[in-house]
Amino acid sequence: MFLVTRRTLVAALGVLLLTACPEPVTVGEIGYFRGKPLDIKPGESVSLSWQASNAAACLITPDVGEVATTGSTLVNPMFTTTYELQCNGAKQKLVIVVRPPPSIDTFTASSTDVFPDAP
């Protein structure tokens, strides 16, 4: 036979409350995620910089990988790319536009004579 007293009931409820309440989940916060410049030509570099909190580390995709919560890195996208910074549930995106140089489809000369050092 088990005798329930006020003291054992309070103690049992306290244990239930302690075990039933998990630790609160802390979501990361991104202070900023920047790229400079945002518009480049193929082969040029972009500096990505960021600052986040409430996370042990962050992840930048594509191509960069795991990074500290504050930092910067250089990337060289060859085509327009959307980078995403993820920090413990927080996400922020950044688009780097890569503009190819103009192409010359045809070229016509107005004269068939070529003179060295001509103006």
Side-chain angles (χ1 to χ4, degrees):
M1 179 175 204
F2 183 70
L3 179 61
V4 177
T5 64
R6 184 172 189 200
R7 175 180 272 170
T8 58
L9 183 58
V10 169
L13 286 174
V15 169
L16 282 174
L17 290 175
L18 289 175
T19 58
C21 297
E23 287 291 320
V25 176
T26 304
V27 176
E29 293 180 28
I30 298 173
Y32 63 84
F33 183 36
R34 299 180 184 133
K36 187 173 182 183
L38 293 174
D39 194 312
I40 62 167
K41 296 175 189 164
E44 294 182 335
S45 296
V46 175
S47 176
L48 301 179
S49 59
W50 63 93
Q51 182 276 321
S53 58
N54 294 332
C58 297
L59 178 69
I60 298 177
T61 56
D63 303 327
V64 177
E66 188 171 309
V67 294
T69 56
T70 300
S72 64
T73 191
L74 289 177
V75 293
N76 300 87
M78 294 307 292
F79 48 86
T80 297
T81 304
T82 300
Y83 289 93
E84 183 175 70
L85 174 67
Q86 301 175 33
C87 302
N88 198 31
K91 295 180 182 181
Q92 193 168 340
K93 292 183 179 185
L94 176 68
V95 178
I96 303 299
V97 177
V98 179
R99 299 198 189 278
S103 63
I104 299 173
D105 295 329
T106 60
F107 177 79
T108 305
S110 60
S111 173
T112 57
D113 298 326
V114 177
F115 301 98
D117 301 321

